[in-house]
Amino acid sequence: MWKPERCDLCGDCLEACLYLGYDRERAQKEMKALIAGKHSSVLDDCITCCGCNTYCTRGARPFDLIIHRMEEEGSALKKGCATALLEVFCFNLARNFTRKTIKGAPWMSICCMEYFQPHLFWDSKLFEGMNIVGGGDYFCVNGMVHGRQDTAVFENMPAYVERLNKLPTDEIVFYHDECYAPFFSYAKDMKLEPNFRPVHLLEWLIKVVKDNYKEVRKLGLRTAIQLPCSIRCGPDRHVWIEELFDLLGVELVERKYDRRNQICCGAVAGLGGGASEDLSENQRFSQEIRDKNIADAKHYGADHMMFLCPFCYAALARDAKASGIMPVMAADLVRMSLYGEEPTEYVTALERGWIQ
Amino acid sequence: MSKKFKKLCEPIAINGMKLRNRTALAPMSMGYTEGEDFMNQRVIDYYVRRAKGHTGLIISGVTPVDKRGKPIAFMHSLWDDTFVPGWEKLADAIHEAGSKLAVQLMFGGLEGFPIMSKGQQLSPDGGVWTLIKELFYMHPDLEKSMFMTRKISVEELKDIAQKFADAAIRAKKAGADAVEVQGSQGFLLEQMMSPHFNHRTDEYGGSLENRMRYTIEVIQKVRRAVGKDYPVLFRMVASEGIEDGIQLEEAKKMAQMAVKAGADAIHVTTGRGITIEGLNYMVPIAETGPAPVIDQVAEIKKVVDVPVIGAQAIRTPQLAEEIIKSGKADMVALGRTLIADPDWPKKAEEDRPEDIRQCIGCNQGCIDNLLTAFFADCLQNPEVGREAKYELKKVDSPKNVLVIGGGVAGLETAVVAARRGHKVTLCEKGDKFGGQWNLAAIPPGKSQFNAVVDWRVHTLGNMENVKLELNKMVTPDYVKGLKPDIVIVATGSVPLIPPIPGFDKDNVTNVPDTLTGKAKIGENVAVIGGGACGVETANYLLDKGKKVTVVEMLPEIARDEKFARKVFILESLEKKGAKILTSSPVKKITEGNELIVRSNGRDKSVGKFDTFVIAVGVKTENSITKQIKDMVPALYEVGDAYANPANGFSAIQHGALIGRNL
């Protein structure tokens, strides 16, 4: 939620944006326009990466203002983005399921992640002993910000938290980073109290690896990371990533587009979060970002690229592979190390037709 | 060899391909491939399990002949030579099990996923993918921009026909015994044949001859490619169930033309594009009744002189025998029937039809999951798609297992445990097994649902290591006396009655009491809660001639019903005149039996009612756990009793898992 009282109109947020290219003066001018409810070029050009929320040192949450204004202006749901989002909503989210296992087992929410790799959660040894819930009832709707709106997110949040509260457990692991993030943003803003501790997938993976440390086969990989927009909310994921990589014998390849310089995976840009109404223009822009990302990882000598979000995976997997970089999800590294399983092929963006 | 089902179990030959009996696995896409869609062990296990159950002919699920014609993710494919080794492995395994393999070749056309091949999706007229059209009716601009297909050119038609032939050669090379050309289920060939889909003005549109031209070309090309001694089957529709679609009279002529073009057998089903209603027509739900198109199949059989395979909802060998004996068809294609019980043909051969686990036509595990989770499952058979992992293994040291509760979760756990060799005692407090599942079988047309409980009770009843007890309320003393090694708590759930003023009145009842006739129901009824349970109960009450109002808190009713069932139930309620109120949380029932709801920020009355049926859900009932958990070495809760009450599908899946872990 936008916190106007914390904004001193310094312009840091928009000046730091990696896509807009504003100088300080322009940044301040556009920010003023946004606050005054006037049209700003930000509303056309923002790719909804959420970065400005972290560039603002005063915690004013400028991104929340931008999304709110986009919706007010009616620029919500650009075509390509809406299509992909709705495709997910209408199919995988229509399935609500609880896979129950043996009492005392951990609970995990996978939202619509079956969509990317239906068999993973049913076949991998890693998830064998878990209670798993998924489907529309466990969808936070957070992704709608990439559809340039947040009303739906606010409206859905109470039901989302309440359904999770009903699960008989005091800890819930979230497979997708984005399902975890709302507990540090929307749910928190709305003062919705979960009666469980949200557990990030990385935290849980670290625990699994430590519990089974005797089984660990050091992987000896050089792995770059491509983190999703949702990491802008909540604890710093890098701390966990470093710990997990240490345990698994994976070297974290630091590259140019990391941390503060992290750029979009290309999925959001390609889906219509891009600057143009013209989908092919967005696709071109998306390809540019993907090329930059992969070339960067290659330049710094990565042989693998790890993702926390299957949308990022879907966007980059094909190009990564073509450059000799193996795309993996965080859970894949643990599956490879502990159980000798192969990283599963997620359905790529190409397969889904989002990206040409 | 069977005495009861002589005709069904008789061998048959199709252009030299000798089949052990008259059963075929109907082509179904199960979604078991991954990533790049190569044949994998999971797919092979699924087909081979059906072959081991003595199915005569395994017809593979649709196999795209070209990437542009692939409708959904996860389909085994055959559009280039790299796929061949996988199919070789499958063919070998099926032959080893004594069956034959036919590869069904397909091109999606309008039913392809336009979003998966943007700008490439091809269809007779261009136009919008029909399923998407229904789902996205609220976003007409999306349809236009993203889901539009392109009208297929004559050159492209020729190219795709060649791809059918190329794929047929690959199938033959891989060791398959036959190919089947897919001309039904709303895919490209049906579209080209159908006046509903095809409005072309060139030589491929208009008259029957023109609409059939493409299909004939494809069959001829395939025939030329594989040679005259290789069986080529043709799957087609008897009708499309829509006014401007293919009708039976035309279908008869089409069948004759296909045979003339070189088809060795005609496989008849229905079709009409994958609309939600069309799905219901092509994959009929329980309410439709058994074998809805078999009389149309019989009409087609009269006009052709090659074997005819009849399909759709043939659930018992009795019916199959009757179909073949009376000459309505030469073979039966069993789809969901063989998902539910892969040993169906074997059991027919051994004259044990009562041992068959029948498909109930719920479409939950197969169709709904295929569309939402992209792989098929089965409510009746949790083993499907997990053949290797879920194969039942006998235990070394059998244990004494006490199952408390004879609902579907308890029954499934008991069946699995008993089959693995454990000694099982199953106690049910009521006078009938099945628990809440029995309620599901009460609404109109759903008697087929009884097969879930009947098969499990029948199976347990025939096992020596099982003791079944009805009217047995399990107490701590009973457990102490029995000294079981393992206790399964399968006590299910009880209706949730929220603390709302007036809900304690005498004319307020719950779903179980309504459906079992225990509660007295007045003329004018309010059903509070419009989920699956509420709407099915409303449907039942409407059939009893009651005036029904459904009151739902959320903006839509039947939220937890999916696709075909949802359309069916909503139509049914509308036809029978139910009144539906959404976004209306109930506030109270007044002394004068008025129902007050909150609507647009204020309380308002929605009228007076004689009876109120509460259908807002259930809560876990497992109070016995606390009383006995310290007395026994191991205790597992299963189904609704575990947590998060859900549906029968989830309960049976959980039972299947727990049973395998004992």
Side-chain angles (χ1 to χ4, degrees):
Chain A
M1 218 176 279
W2 161 241
K3 305 227 159 54
E5 70 284 2
R6 295 195 186 176
C7 176
D8 63 358
L9 296 170
C10 67
D12 274 357
C13 52
L14 298 184
E15 194 192 2
C17 175
L18 298 169
Y19 309 97
L20 294 174
Y22 295 163
D23 58 19
R24 176 158 300 262
E25 198 184 329
R26 174 88 188 270
Q28 289 174 342
K29 184 179 143 236
E30 300 296 343
M31 200 58 202
K32 274 181 200 151
L34 285 172
I35 294 170
K38 290 183 190 147
H39 180 75
S40 154
S41 52
V42 176
L43 301 178
D44 300 326
D45 298 342
C46 166
I47 73 156
T48 68
C49 79
C50 195
C52 46
N53 269 359
T54 54
Y55 308 145
C56 173
T57 50
R58 301 168 61 92
R61 310 268 294 268
F63 178 71
D64 297 21
L65 171 68
I66 293 170
I67 290 297
H68 185 69
R69 289 283 302 113
M70 278 175 170
E71 191 170 350
E72 269 184 357
E73 265 211 351
S75 67
L77 275 183
K78 275 198 178 179
K79 281 175 193 159
C81 183
T83 306
L85 289 172
L86 286 174
E87 191 200 355
V88 179
F89 298 171
C90 290
F91 287 93
N92 195 228
L93 291 175
R95 167 176 154 102
N96 278 311
F97 74 95
T98 307
R99 189 195 67 182
K100 301 170 182 178
T101 170
I102 291 158
K103 194 134 208 161
W107 283 78
M108 179 167 77
S109 170
I110 63 168
C111 179
C112 60
M113 293 305 111
E114 255 186 331
Y115 174 76
F116 294 90
Q117 220 317 320
H119 309 302
L120 174 70
F121 302 101
W122 306 87
D123 289 351
S124 170
K125 220 171 158 188
L126 181 61
F127 302 115
E128 215 165 53
M130 299 191 93
N131 294 294
I132 299 180
V133 291
D137 278 357
Y138 302 96
F139 177 37
C140 66
V141 195
N142 208 352
M144 289 305 281
V145 298
H146 300 315
R148 307 177 153 240
Q149 56 184 287
D150 63 1
T151 306
V153 190
F154 281 111
E155 277 175 356
N156 181 61
M157 204 46 65
Y160 174 68
V161 176
E162 194 192 314
R163 286 187 193 110
L164 291 164
N165 275 344
K166 276 189 186 157
L167 301 179
T169 172
D170 42 25
E171 285 194 342
I172 298 174
V173 181
F174 293 90
Y175 182 80
H176 189 191
D177 195 282
E178 196 169 299
C179 304
Y180 169 83
F183 295 99
F184 304 91
S185 56
Y186 292 100
K188 206 169 162 192
D189 290 344
M190 296 174 77
K191 301 198 167 41
L192 298 166
E193 291 287 327
N195 66 9
F196 55 88
R197 187 175 80 86
V199 178
H200 194 277
L201 178 73
L202 290 166
E203 275 182 276
W204 178 74
L205 290 175
I206 289 168
K207 185 177 175 306
V208 172
V209 174
K210 282 184 172 166
D211 289 351
N212 299 282
Y213 196 67
K214 272 191 291 188
E215 311 294 322
V216 167
R217 188 176 59 88
K218 298 277 180 185
L219 293 170
L221 307 174
R222 287 178 50 78
T223 304
I225 50 175
Q226 170 67 34
L227 300 186
C229 352
S230 49
I231 62 144
R232 323 271 193 188
C233 306
D236 184 3
R237 319 295 200 262
H238 293 88
V239 180
W240 290 322
I241 292 172
E242 280 160 16
E243 186 177 358
L244 182 68
F245 279 20
D246 264 357
L247 288 166
L248 299 176
V250 174
E251 186 189 333
L252 174 58
V253 177
E254 298 276 357
R255 58 194 182 109
K256 182 177 164 197
Y257 298 122
D258 258 343
R259 306 193 187 243
R260 196 181 158 96
N261 286 327
Q262 169 189 335
I263 55 171
C264 174
C265 58
V268 167
L271 292 176
S276 174
E277 279 285 347
D278 176 3
L279 196 67
S280 60
E281 172 54 26
N282 289 336
Q283 297 284 5
R284 192 202 53 73
F285 180 54
S286 164
Q287 187 63 50
E288 192 183 304
I289 295 179
R290 283 178 279 147
D291 288 347
K292 256 165 131 176
N293 245 322
I294 301 294
D296 185 41
K298 191 84 190 153
H299 176 76
Y300 287 90
D303 49 34
H304 280 62
M305 189 180 242
M306 188 202 78
F307 304 89
L308 290 178
C309 166
F311 287 90
C312 303
Y313 178 104
L316 287 169
R318 177 188 48 158
D319 294 348
K321 267 194 226 163
S323 310
I325 296 175
M326 187 65 196
V328 285
M329 293 292 289
D332 288 342
L333 291 175
V334 177
R335 292 172 49 236
M336 289 154 74
S337 167
L338 286 185
Y339 311 114
E341 292 177 8
E342 295 281 318
T344 345
E345 188 107 0
Y346 287 68
V347 178
T348 62
L350 177 73
E351 194 85 0
R352 291 294 190 207
W354 300 341
I355 290 169
Q356 282 175 327
Chain B
M1 210 14 102
S2 170
K3 288 197 180 93
K4 290 184 197 157
F5 312 113
K6 277 193 189 132
K7 277 306 224 185
L8 176 65
C9 299
E10 209 172 81
I12 186 173
I14 299 175
N15 190 5
M17 170 174 67
K18 288 186 187 131
L19 304 175
R20 66 194 299 168
N21 59 35
R22 304 294 182 97
T23 60
L25 173 69
M28 289 173 294
S29 208
M30 303 295 279
Y32 297 151
T33 56
E34 288 172 53
E36 305 293 325
D37 288 326
F38 289 101
M39 189 61 66
N40 62 14
Q41 198 54 43
R42 186 182 182 135
V43 183
I44 294 176
D45 289 346
Y46 157 74
Y47 286 126
V48 170
R49 180 70 187 82
R50 271 81 208 152
K52 283 183 178 163
H54 292 192
T55 304
L57 177 64
I58 302 288
I59 307 177
S60 79
V62 289
T63 307
V65 298
D66 188 84
K67 196 162 186 164
R68 290 170 297 176
K70 186 180 149 193
I72 53 170
F74 312 121
M75 292 184 135
H76 44 46
S77 303
L78 205 45
W79 64 67
D80 66 45
D81 291 342
T82 55
F83 291 105
V84 174
W87 284 91
E88 273 170 6
K89 225 173 133 188
L90 175 67
D92 288 349
I94 284 177
H95 293 153
E96 199 178 312
S99 288
K100 298 284 160 67
L101 169 67
V103 180
Q104 197 196 49
L105 305 174
M106 170 282 264
F107 189 94
L110 189 58
E111 297 315 332
F113 227 124
I115 195 168
M116 286 174 67
S117 48
K118 226 176 298 163
Q120 286 191 318
Q121 206 60 41
L122 305 168
S123 68
D125 287 3
V128 182
W129 187 32
T130 41
L131 177 58
I132 292 292
K133 202 169 172 176
E134 286 190 28
L135 289 177
F136 291 110
Y137 61 93
M138 64 294 218
H139 291 282
D141 57 322
L142 286 181
E143 278 181 18
K144 283 193 204 96
S145 61
M146 297 297 293
F147 301 110
M148 210 61 167
T149 59
R150 183 163 61 75
K151 185 172 168 178
I152 194 164
S153 72
V154 174
E155 292 70 41
E156 281 162 336
L157 283 172
K158 305 262 183 221
D159 176 50
I160 291 161
Q162 187 55 46
K163 296 236 151 86
F164 268 92
D166 295 347
I169 293 176
R170 282 182 207 113
K172 191 178 174 187
K173 207 160 83 187
D177 306 276
V179 290
E180 179 172 274
V181 174
Q182 168 61 297
S184 68
Q185 249 65 25
F187 296 125
L188 181 66
L189 296 194
E190 180 192 326
Q191 292 156 27
M192 292 298 287
M193 287 152 73
S194 165
H196 172 73
F197 291 107
N198 181 350
H199 300 98
R200 296 173 75 99
T201 51
D202 59 6
E203 68 267 38
Y204 291 106
S207 65
L208 170 66
E209 283 67 30
N210 278 1
R211 278 182 282 119
M212 265 310 270
R213 189 179 310 279
Y214 186 56
T215 299
I216 289 172
E217 281 177 17
V218 169
I219 296 175
Q220 284 174 339
K221 265 211 150 84
V222 169
R223 168 58 69 208
R224 271 200 294 276
V226 294
K228 70 174 176 20
D229 297 328
Y230 191 77
V232 176
L233 284 60
F234 178 58
R235 193 170 214 233
M236 60 173 291
V237 305
S239 63
E240 289 182 312
I242 21 175
E243 237 166 65
D244 60 347
I246 299 172
Q247 312 297 345
L248 179 62
E249 280 315 306
E250 218 172 50
K252 282 155 73 175
K253 292 186 190 123
M254 287 172 167
Q256 289 172 320
M257 292 160 100
V259 171
K260 209 173 150 203
D264 296 315
I266 299 289
H267 181 176
V268 188
T269 178
T270 56
R272 137 155 124 199
I274 305 175
T275 58
I276 292 178
E277 281 175 347
L279 267 179
N280 205 348
Y281 191 62
M282 295 191 298
V283 197
I285 55 176
E287 283 89 333
T288 311
V293 291
I294 201 67
D295 291 331
Q296 298 182 30
V297 176
E299 290 299 310
I300 288 176
K301 164 131 179 73
K302 280 182 197 158
V303 300
V304 294
D305 54 1
V306 296
V308 169
I309 309 171
Q312 262 196 15
I314 299 167
R315 301 194 178 106
T316 63
Q318 289 90 333
L319 177 61
E321 175 74 7
E322 152 65 23
I323 287 168
I324 297 168
K325 216 163 138 184
S326 61
K328 288 179 178 170
D330 301 288
M331 284 181 72
V332 287
L334 311 169
R336 292 169 294 167
T337 296
L338 283 180
I339 295 182
D341 192 342
D343 290 324
W344 192 99
K346 192 160 173 262
K347 287 172 182 171
E349 283 175 3
E350 292 166 4
D351 282 335
R352 306 187 281 128
E354 64 285 358
D355 289 351
I356 286 171
R357 183 169 50 195
Q358 286 181 28
C359 163
I360 60 164
C362 67
N363 286 7
Q364 270 182 45
C366 46
I367 290 291
D368 289 352
N369 274 357
L370 196 62
L371 287 176
T372 57
F374 309 104
F375 65 90
D377 218 311
C378 179
L379 182 139
Q380 274 281 54
N381 178 15
E383 190 196 276
V384 72
R386 313 182 174 88
E387 275 80 7
K389 200 167 155 189
Y390 265 26
E391 197 183 349
L392 288 178
K393 292 184 191 88
K394 286 270 178 201
V395 288
D396 297 332
S397 48
K399 293 188 176 124
N400 286 317
V401 180
L402 168 64
V403 180
I404 308 174
V408 288
L411 286 170
E412 177 68 15
T413 317
V415 168
V416 175
R419 286 182 147 189
R420 294 183 59 225
H422 291 301
K423 284 184 69 180
V424 176
T425 307
L426 172 62
C427 297
E428 162 60 38
K429 72 171 181 194
D431 57 1
K432 199 174 158 191
F433 291 106
Q436 294 186 68
W437 184 266
N438 293 326
L439 303 173
I442 294 174
K446 287 176 76 180
S447 59
Q448 178 67 15
F449 275 42
N450 286 320
V452 172
V453 176
D454 292 350
W455 178 79
R456 285 172 176 79
V457 174
H458 166 80
T459 304
L460 291 168
N462 283 345
M463 296 177 86
E464 281 175 4
N465 52 340
V466 175
K467 197 172 148 201
L468 295 175
E469 293 215 50
L470 282 172
N471 302 309
K472 181 82 210 166
M473 187 76 192
V474 172
T475 60
D477 283 344
Y478 177 83
V479 176
K480 220 181 260 172
L482 198 71
K483 292 202 186 62
D485 303 312
I486 301 169
V487 171
I488 305 293
V489 175
T491 42
S493 53
V494 291
L496 187 73
I497 306 290
I500 287 174
F503 275 25
D504 51 356
K505 285 166 63 96
D506 288 344
N507 57 349
V508 178
T509 181
N510 57 32
V511 173
D513 289 350
T514 306
L515 293 176
T516 53
K518 218 162 129 189
K520 212 175 142 260
I521 308 290
E523 282 315 299
N524 192 4
V525 190
V527 175
I528 300 170
C533 192
V535 291
E536 300 261 1
T537 308
N539 196 26
Y540 167 82
L541 291 170
L542 286 162
D543 269 29
K544 297 266 162 199
K546 309 290 182 191
K547 212 175 137 208
V548 179
T549 304
V550 179
V551 187
E552 168 60 45
M553 178 170 99
L554 295 169
E556 62 167 333
I557 61 162
R559 191 168 174 270
D560 40 355
E561 299 254 29
K562 272 170 268 173
F563 302 111
R565 283 217 62 81
K566 187 166 186 159
V567 173
F568 171 84
I569 197 84
L570 292 182
E571 264 180 9
S572 183
L573 292 189
E574 196 190 324
K575 237 186 272 164
K576 295 171 190 169
K579 200 172 154 200
I580 314 278
L581 297 171
T582 53
S583 301
S584 308
V586 169
K587 286 290 139 190
K588 69 173 171 194
I589 299 168
T590 66
E591 283 304 313
N593 292 326
E594 244 180 309
L595 183 65
I596 310 293
V597 303
R598 188 101 181 148
S599 173
N600 294 330
R602 50 159 68 118
D603 290 353
K604 71 165 198 194
S605 166
V606 291
K608 277 188 178 182
F609 297 92
D610 304 325
T611 308
F612 301 88
V613 180
I614 314 279
V616 296
V618 291
K619 60 176 186 210
T620 289
E621 164 53 46
N622 54 11
S623 48
I624 186 81
T625 301
K626 261 192 200 141
Q627 302 170 36
I628 59 172
K629 70 168 189 284
D630 297 332
M631 290 180 201
V632 290
L635 180 143
Y636 299 89
E637 288 163 343
V638 55
D640 280 3
Y642 177 78
N644 226 24
N647 53 16
F649 177 79
S650 168
I652 291 173
Q653 291 269 331
H654 197 206
L657 177 85
I658 296 280
R660 281 167 175 81
N661 275 293
L662 302 179

